[in-house]
Amino acid sequence: MAPLIPGHHDLDGTLMKLGFFTMPIHPLAKDWRQSLREDQEAFILADELGFTEAYVGEHATDQAENITSCMLFLATLIDKTRSMKLGTGTVNLPNSHPVAVASHIAMLDHLLDGRFIFGISPGGLISDAEVFGNLDADRPAMFLECIDTILEIWRREPPYRIEGKFWTVTTERTLLADIGQGVLPKPLQRPHPPIVVTAVAPFSKGVTEAAARGWDPISANFLMPGWVRSHWPKYVEGCERGGRRADPANWRVARSVFVADDLATARDYAMDPDSPYRFYYSQMLTKMKRAGRLELFKTSRDMPDEEVTLDFVCDKLVTWGTPDKVADELLAFRDEVGPFGTMLYAGHDWVDRDLGRRSMVLLAEEVLPQVDTGRRAAVEAAE
C-alpha cells in the first residue's frame, strides 16, 4: 500500500461509496431523443444499484454534450429515482442570472424533498461563454458574484437590495409582502443545499477557496492521477482556513470505468477505435488542446505536447476489465491519489446498451465489495 499523502487521514477501511457523474458526450448523428432516454436510464439504474448520488452537466452549444440544462434534466428524474441524491454537475453560473438560479434551485430542492446537491462552476466550454456574451469578461469574478448573490438571496428577507458589478437584485419598488409578491423562495435544506465544485486544474486554487467556504470538491475524470492527487493538499489548506476538518469522505473523484464479464469484451469496448471511451477522450483532447489546457493530460508539466496522444490518454484515464482486474486497478488508483469517499462512475455513451448497463451492475455488485475488502485488509495490515 502506498504511503498516505502528508496530512491525509485514511478512511479506516470505510466502504468507498459509488456515485455517477456524466457530462455525456454522444455521437453527433445520434437521435437526441435516444441519447436523452439513455442518460435518464443510466440515472435510474444507478439509483436501483444503490449509488449514493449522481450529477449531470450542461452545455448550450455542444452537439455532443447535449444536455442543455442540468436542472431541467434532473427534474425529469424526481419521481423515477427513490434514494439517490441528484446533483447539478454543474450549473455554469456566469451564463445565468443569479435570481433565476436561486429560485430554480430552491424549487428543485423542494421537489426532491432535500435529495439535492448544488454543483457549481464558472463553466469551461468557450462556445457557451461566447453565445452568452461573456467570453471576454472576467468570468471567475462573475462566478463568485453570482454564487454570493444566490447565497445572499437565501439569507435575506424581502425587500432585497443586493448590488454587484454584474447583477443587481431588488424588489424594493414592487414588494407586497402581505400577498407574497416580491418574495424570492428559499431551498428546503437550510441554510442551503450542500455545494460542490468541479476541480479540473492541477493544484487547483479553486479547491482551496471552495473548501474555505465550506464547499467540497469533485476531481474530474479527465485529469491524470498525479493532478488528482494534488487536489487534496489544496483542500486541506482551504479547510484549515475555514476552521473545519478536512474529511476525505467529502472528496469525490470521477473515473472512467468499464467492467465486463470477460477480458476480451472489456478491452474491445473500452479501447477499440469505435469505443465510446475513445470518442469521449478524443473530444476532450481536442477541446482542451484548443483551449490551451493540454497540461491536464500530461503526467508532468514538461511533457512534450506531441507525446499527448489519444492512445496515451486512454491508457492512463480508462480503467477497464473484468471485475477482479478493475477492483485491483481501482485500489491501486485510490492508493496513488489518496483515500477519497466517493468514486463517481463517469457516464459515457451507450454504444451497446446491454454492455453499458452490465458495466454498472458489475461495478456495484462485484467490484465494489472487492474494493471494500481490499481497503479493509490494507488498513488492518498497516495497523
Side-chain angles (χ1 to χ4, degrees):
M1 177 180 174
L4 297 180
I5 300 171
H8 201 312
H9 301 285
D10 201 350
L11 292 178
D12 298 324
T14 301
L15 174 69
M16 182 181 75
K17 296 179 181 178
L18 284 182
F20 184 77
F21 187 107
T22 189
M23 37 179 286
I25 294 183
H26 298 292
L28 302 188
K30 190 167 189 174
D31 189 302
W32 196 8
R33 294 167 297 176
Q34 181 183 353
S35 66
L36 289 171
R37 283 194 297 266
E38 289 176 354
D39 290 333
Q40 290 173 315
E41 190 177 342
F43 276 74
I44 296 166
L45 178 59
D47 182 60
E48 292 171 351
L49 291 171
F51 284 50
T52 58
E53 56 194 40
Y55 304 83
V56 63
E58 65 177 19
H59 288 303
T61 61
D62 196 311
Q63 279 185 283
E65 294 186 59
N66 55 20
I67 290 180
T68 58
S69 167
C70 52
M71 288 185 280
L72 182 58
F73 181 84
L74 292 181
T76 70
L77 296 166
I78 290 169
D79 294 324
K80 295 178 180 178
T81 56
R82 296 180 179 275
S83 59
M84 182 174 68
K85 294 182 179 180
L86 300 180
T88 52
T90 57
V91 178
N92 301 321
L93 293 181
N95 302 336
S96 303
H97 195 288
V99 171
V101 177
S103 57
H104 294 339
I105 291 298
M107 183 174 70
L108 189 55
D109 193 35
H110 278 80
L111 286 169
L112 282 164
D113 199 24
R115 191 165 47 90
F116 176 72
I117 301 173
F118 187 20
I120 59 175
S121 77
L125 188 65
I126 56 176
S127 57
D128 275 3
E130 181 180 8
V131 81
F132 284 108
N134 56 62
L135 182 60
D136 300 316
D138 186 347
R139 302 181 71 252
M142 294 182 73
F143 165 75
L144 288 174
E145 182 177 313
C146 189
I147 187 58
D148 285 344
T149 302
I150 291 167
L151 295 176
E152 194 63 26
I153 287 170
W154 290 340
R155 274 192 294 264
R156 290 195 188 188
E157 298 299 329
Y160 310 94
R161 168 60 62 177
I162 307 170
E163 298 183 8
K165 178 180 178 181
F166 304 102
W167 298 280
T168 294
V169 174
T170 177
T171 60
E172 289 177 334
R173 297 172 57 190
T174 56
L175 178 68
L176 296 175
D178 56 329
I179 64 168
Q181 177 177 300
V183 180
L184 288 165
K186 290 179 169 55
L188 178 65
Q189 299 177 84
R190 298 297 180 90
H192 54 74
I195 296 176
V196 298
V197 296
T198 50
V200 298
F203 303 98
S204 172
K205 295 180 181 178
V207 169
T208 302
E209 297 304 316
R213 287 170 168 252
W215 310 339
D216 295 315
I218 295 174
S219 297
N221 61 299
F222 47 84
L223 279 174
M224 287 294 165
W227 302 142
V228 174
R229 182 183 179 93
S230 76
H231 290 166
W232 176 257
K234 307 304 291 184
Y235 181 61
V236 171
E237 180 184 338
C239 287
E240 289 176 347
R241 192 200 305 169
R244 65 186 182 120
R245 176 180 175 267
D247 187 349
N250 296 328
W251 184 20
R252 300 159 172 90
V253 175
R255 186 73 177 166
S256 293
V257 176
F258 179 70
V259 196
D261 291 288
D262 64 89
L263 199 60
T265 299
R267 181 189 299 109
D268 291 347
Y269 194 77
M271 304 303 285
D272 271 5
D274 60 350
S275 162
Y277 292 79
R278 287 183 66 86
F279 176 68
Y280 176 95
Y281 282 107
S282 69
Q283 287 267 328
M284 294 303 300
L285 191 57
T286 300
K287 290 174 180 176
M288 293 303 173
K289 187 174 183 178
R290 178 67 182 270
R293 307 191 71 181
L294 198 60
E295 176 189 52
L296 304 183
F297 299 113
K298 297 182 177 183
T299 51
S300 65
R301 284 176 161 162
D302 58 358
M303 182 179 177
D305 288 358
E306 58 269 19
E307 292 183 11
V308 185
T309 65
L310 181 57
D311 285 339
F312 173 81
V313 169
C314 290
D315 181 63
K316 294 292 185 181
L317 296 182
V318 181
T319 297
W320 58 268
T322 60
D324 290 350
K325 179 177 181 289
V326 169
D328 288 343
E329 292 185 8
L330 288 181
L331 283 166
F333 172 72
R334 198 160 179 241
D335 283 342
E336 181 177 1
V337 305
F340 51 86
T342 303
M343 190 200 78
L344 300 178
Y345 178 93
H348 295 278
D349 183 72
W350 281 357
V351 171
D352 185 311
R353 176 181 175 274
D354 291 339
L355 289 179
R357 289 179 58 88
R358 182 63 176 162
S359 175
M360 294 176 65
V361 171
L362 290 172
L363 180 70
E365 296 182 353
E366 297 192 25
V367 175
L368 183 61
Q370 291 189 53
V371 171
D372 182 34
T373 300
R375 287 301 297 168
R376 291 187 188 280
V379 169
E380 291 172 0
E383 291 177 345

